[in-house]
Amino acid sequence: MSAVARVQKASKLVAPMASKALGVSAARSFTGTSRAQNKVTVVGAAGGIGQPMSLLLKLGGKIDHLSLFDIVNTPGVAADISHCNSKGKVTGHKGAEEMSAALDGADVVVIPAGVPRKPGMTRDDLFNTNASIVKGIAEQCAKSCPKACFLIISNPVNSTVPIFADVLKASGVYNPQKLMGVTTLDVCRAKTFVADNQGMDVDKVDVTVIGGHAGTTIMPLLSQVEGAKFSEEDIKALTHRIQFGGDEVVQAKDGAGSATLSMAHAGAYFADKVLDGLNGVSGVKECTFVDCDITDAPFFASPCTLGKDGVSEIHGFSGLSTFEQALVDDNVSSLVKMAQKGSDFVKNN
């Protein structure tokens, strides 16, 4: 069965259950004619990514209720952000005992929770700590807001998204249309670096980035950038810089942090696009890491249309250059192993 067919089948199965569970009077129906009352929860809202991302979400003006959760300090972050003169109420929740209230009824849950990268660390080095954190969050989400869209930022995304999926499956509430790994920062970096290299207007540059969200699994399709003329050296250098842009920031911060601000921007941007889709805006298309069968990897990032039920169409990829095809051929097996590592963690913990 194709990836699109699987998504459509899931939609048909989930939609009737959602309508029955919510009821006519309680349902927040997403339509193109009247904007929904959106609740967005940020889990990890007091951290280096969570704080600036929450601020950007508040300033976006599309959220009626911005619910902020973290283990500590969240009420202060919420109070601070709530003073910004933009639409929407802000609530802060801290500690495990308040997690359910933070998540209850959320339409979108954005999850940057976890420990940050440090010099010399790969995203996969973070696995043992962040895997446990993400598993616990997924378990609570399955109880408090099973029909929400879940946007996973916590690294390593190539493993944490499969963890989240398997927890939801175990609870009987998994909808592949509503689970997305946030790979938007890779696209942001690709647009920025390409625009600089080619002397283009960054606002008009479009770069598709497929694969995963770690090192060489990040695969920018530079051959498909309209109007660009790259040398072979440019392609190799730009591809490497896009793949390891996070290391560039970690090193520049000299051990004091990772790519928190740019990730906050990317996370807020992607959440905004998901909200647009849920609210009936047509033609919303972004790269994201999803459950699909376009390669042998169970999860793979490619352009997706975002609609009223989350991911409405997975576009996949085609027309790769020899260099890009080699990247895919070399990295799909790594994505399979990273996904399996996440699934094994759920089975054994």
Side-chain angles (χ1 to χ4, degrees), residues 2-332:
S2 71
V4 173
R6 289 169 62 199
V7 169
Q8 291 173 338
K9 180 179 178 182
S11 176
K12 291 176 181 178
L13 291 171
V14 172
M17 293 190 295
S19 298
K20 182 177 179 182
L22 287 171
V24 175
S25 61
R28 282 190 296 273
S29 60
F30 295 102
T31 68
T33 54
S34 60
R35 200 184 65 77
Q37 296 292 303
N38 297 315
K39 177 179 178 179
V40 175
T41 300
V42 178
V43 180
I49 296 170
Q51 288 199 43
M53 186 174 69
S54 297
L55 174 62
L56 292 171
L57 288 169
K58 176 65 165 67
L59 296 177
K62 293 182 180 179
I63 301 169
D64 297 279
H65 180 186
L66 181 60
S67 174
L68 307 182
F69 174 81
D70 214 321
I71 300 302
V72 295
N73 301 328
T74 337
V77 175
D80 198 356
I81 290 176
S82 72
H83 292 183
C84 296
N85 58 321
S86 57
K87 181 179 178 177
K89 74 173 181 178
V90 183
T91 57
H93 312 266
K94 70 174 182 178
E97 66 280 2
E98 295 185 20
M99 191 174 187
S100 178
L103 291 165
D104 185 45
D107 300 296
V108 177
V109 181
V110 193
I111 305 171
V115 298
R117 293 174 68 196
K118 296 179 181 179
M121 292 179 70
T122 66
R123 289 180 177 89
D124 210 46
D125 290 333
L126 303 177
F127 179 84
N128 289 332
T129 298
N130 285 357
S132 296
I133 292 171
V134 169
K135 181 174 180 286
I137 294 167
E139 288 168 347
Q140 188 60 58
C141 286
K143 298 174 185 176
S144 299
C145 54
K147 297 175 178 63
C149 285
F150 303 109
L151 315 185
I152 313 301
I153 294 173
S154 307
N155 277 318
V157 165
N158 295 350
S159 297
T160 55
V161 172
I163 287 172
F164 214 96
D166 283 0
V167 171
L168 296 180
K169 288 175 186 177
S171 299
V173 295
Y174 179 55
N175 181 351
Q177 289 180 270
K178 295 194 170 185
L179 177 62
M180 297 160 247
V182 180
T183 59
T184 311
L185 181 53
D186 303 323
V187 178
C188 291
R189 286 177 175 145
K191 290 179 178 181
T192 300
F193 302 160
V194 165
D196 182 60
N197 176 271
Q198 294 288 300
M200 292 178 167
D201 181 347
V202 70
D203 292 330
K204 297 178 180 178
V205 173
D206 188 22
V207 186
T208 296
V209 183
I210 63 172
H213 184 59
T216 57
T217 68
I218 300 167
M219 297 175 257
L221 304 187
L222 300 180
S223 70
Q224 299 180 13
V225 178
E226 291 188 12
K229 295 181 180 179
F230 299 110
S231 67
E232 288 187 18
E233 291 74 19
D234 284 338
I235 289 174
K236 291 178 181 178
L238 283 168
T239 298
H240 185 273
R241 191 180 181 200
I242 293 163
Q243 291 172 333
F244 296 96
D247 294 347
E248 188 176 313
V249 177
V250 170
Q251 292 166 10
K253 290 189 174 181
D254 197 23
S258 57
T260 52
L261 300 177
S262 52
M263 186 64 247
H265 157 69
Y269 174 89
F270 185 70
D272 182 82
K273 293 300 182 181
V274 171
L275 285 171
D276 281 346
L278 294 176
N279 287 327
V281 177
S282 62
V284 181
K285 188 176 176 182
E286 296 293 334
C287 294
T288 182
F289 187 71
V290 295
D291 185 336
C292 62
D293 57 8
I294 58 178
T295 69
D296 290 337
F299 292 85
F300 197 87
S302 75
C304 296
T305 296
L306 305 175
K308 296 179 182 180
D309 297 306
V311 175
S312 61
E313 184 176 1
I314 299 168
H315 297 281
F317 57 92
S318 62
L320 304 189
S321 68
T322 302
F323 177 81
E324 292 158 357
Q325 187 61 57
L327 286 176
V328 173
D329 294 342
D330 291 345
N331 284 285
V332 166

